[in-house]
């Protein structure tokens, strides 16, 4: 069955119609009838490749849940933005066109939760353990709880590690960024970071990034190495600089109406399988990035640059104003709690 076609007279209204039409089409498709009688089918959409930490964690969740439910609960996974991309996946979830998403934490800022953009602040976290002090502590739990204001349920966090900078030249100092068009997620913090370095931020969906790099629409981008490798960006970028300037993490979310429609026992079963899958994803995030870096070195198509301590300090100094400029948008209370949680590392 083909998705319905709508006129272009009202883009916003037509977008909602289109998403509703896709939801109806998906429900009528043979794929969703594959679940046994009285069974449940979860549609899980994400925008990255299956070989990334996110993709592998999603597949582990599918395996665990289907085994433990005896096949009564099935999970259909749609990687690589096959169903929805960065610009429409949240709306699709709210409309019931999909059941589970794993968006990057940046994406919650544009739907009314700028406090999630604290994870985007450059050179904030020194190691993943710092991130876990937030995501696994009271602050992380309160952040997820706030999603109920938009009809969402936050089910957990997981990592994709730290981001690196790429372009067709080394990016080792602020002067190297001047004049470059750098692809970013829809995050005011990340956009401000690029402007502080002298680059021009260009917001694009992740699924459009490689094509934009190949065609020269943008000059460079930031990504964990696993995303850079699995999206074949090494074929269109000559240089990758290991800046480790920012963290990329995700939250798994579902539609509140859908979640509450499930039996309590099924919610418990899904929640346990998901927690184990996210723990697995966190465990392999560094490994997958290390494997991707080794594959990049073996491919030999991209020069890989390791920054000195002095070079990282100069980049960090250049983006310091971003922390002050965005504090009010993120929320001073959230920033204070964040600093307190990070200071536990120094005092503990």
């Amino acid at each position: 069955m083909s998705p319905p076609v709508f006129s272009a007279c009202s883009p916003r209204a037509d977008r909602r119609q289109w998403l509703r039409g896709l939801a109806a089409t998906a429900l009528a498709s043979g794929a969703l009838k594959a679940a046994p009688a009285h069974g449940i089918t979860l549609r899980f959409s994400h925008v990255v490749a299956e070989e990334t930490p996110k993709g592998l964690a999603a597949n582990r969740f599918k395996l665990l849940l289907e085994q433990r439910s005896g096949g009564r609960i099935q999970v259909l996974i749609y990687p690589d933005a096959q169903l929805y991309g960065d610009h429409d996946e949240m709306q699709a979830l709210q409309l019931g066109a999909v059941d589970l998403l794993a968006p990057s934490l940046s994406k919650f800022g544009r739907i009314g939760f700028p406090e999630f953009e604290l994870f985007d602040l450059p050179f904030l976290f020194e190691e993943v353990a710092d991130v876990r002090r937030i995501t696994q502590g009271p602050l992380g739990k309160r952040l997820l709880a706030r999603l109920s204001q938009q009809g969402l349920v936050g089910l957990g966090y997981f990592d994709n590690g730290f981001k690196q900078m790429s372009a067709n030249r080394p990016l080792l100092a602020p002067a190297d960024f001047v004049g470059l068009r750098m692809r970013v997620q829809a995050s005011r913090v990340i956009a401000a970071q690029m402007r502080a370095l002298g680059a021009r931020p260009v917001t694009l969906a992740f699924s459009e990034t490689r094509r934009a790099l190949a065609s020269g629409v943008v000059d460079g981008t930031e990504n964990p190495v696993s995303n850079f490798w699995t999206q074949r960006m090494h074929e269109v970028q000559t240089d990758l600089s290991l800046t480790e300037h920012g963290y990329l993490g995700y939250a798994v979310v579902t539609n509140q109406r859908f979640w509450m429609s499930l039996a309590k026992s099924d919610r418990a079963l899904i929640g346990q399988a998901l927690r184990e899958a996210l723990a697995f994803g966190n465990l392999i995030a560094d490994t997958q990035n290390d494997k991707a870096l080794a594959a990049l070195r073996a491919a030999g198509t991209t020069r890989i640059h390791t920054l000195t301590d002095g070079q990282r300090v100069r980049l960090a100094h250049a983006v310091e104003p971003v922390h002050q400029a965005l504090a009010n948008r993120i929320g001073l209370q959230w920033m204070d709690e964040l600093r307190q949680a990070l200071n536990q590392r120094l005092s503990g």
Side-chain angles (χ1 to χ4, degrees), residues 138-250:
L139 178 54
K141 291 181 175 66
R142 284 200 297 278
L143 286 169
L144 289 182
R146 288 176 66 79
L147 296 177
S148 64
Q149 297 174 12
Q150 293 280 3
L152 303 175
V153 178
L155 299 174
Y157 298 94
F158 66 115
D159 306 322
N160 199 0
F162 286 90
K163 297 180 288 186
Q164 323 297 345
M165 294 285 192
S166 71
N168 289 324
R169 66 191 190 207
L171 299 176
L172 308 176
D176 299 329
F177 289 82
V178 174
L180 293 181
R181 294 160 297 179
M182 297 291 288
R183 178 268 171 182
V184 298
Q185 297 189 65
S187 163
R188 292 192 187 185
V189 175
I190 299 175
Q193 164 198 281
M194 292 303 185
R195 284 192 290 267
L197 291 168
R200 174 188 166 194
V202 179
T203 302
L204 287 174
F206 181 72
S207 59
E208 299 170 9
T209 301
R210 187 191 181 281
R211 184 167 60 251
L213 291 167
S215 63
V217 171
V218 293
D219 303 304
T221 187
E222 57 169 22
N223 265 300
V225 183
S226 61
N227 283 357
F228 187 82
W229 171 253
T230 57
Q231 295 295 314
R232 304 187 347 268
M233 294 180 192
H234 63 286
E235 298 173 356
V236 294
Q237 297 270 266
T238 61
D239 293 83
L240 179 70
S241 301
L242 303 181
T243 52
E244 296 195 349
H245 61 281
Y247 166 77
L248 179 62
Y250 310 106

Side-chain angles (χ1 to χ4, degrees), residues 8-9 15 67 106 109 145 168 178 191 198 221 226 271 279-280 290 295 309 329:
C9 59
R15 188 61 176 167
Q67 283 182 344
S106 303
N168 289 324
V178 174
T221 187
S226 61
F280 169 76
D290 289 344
D309 290 343
R329 170 176 166 78

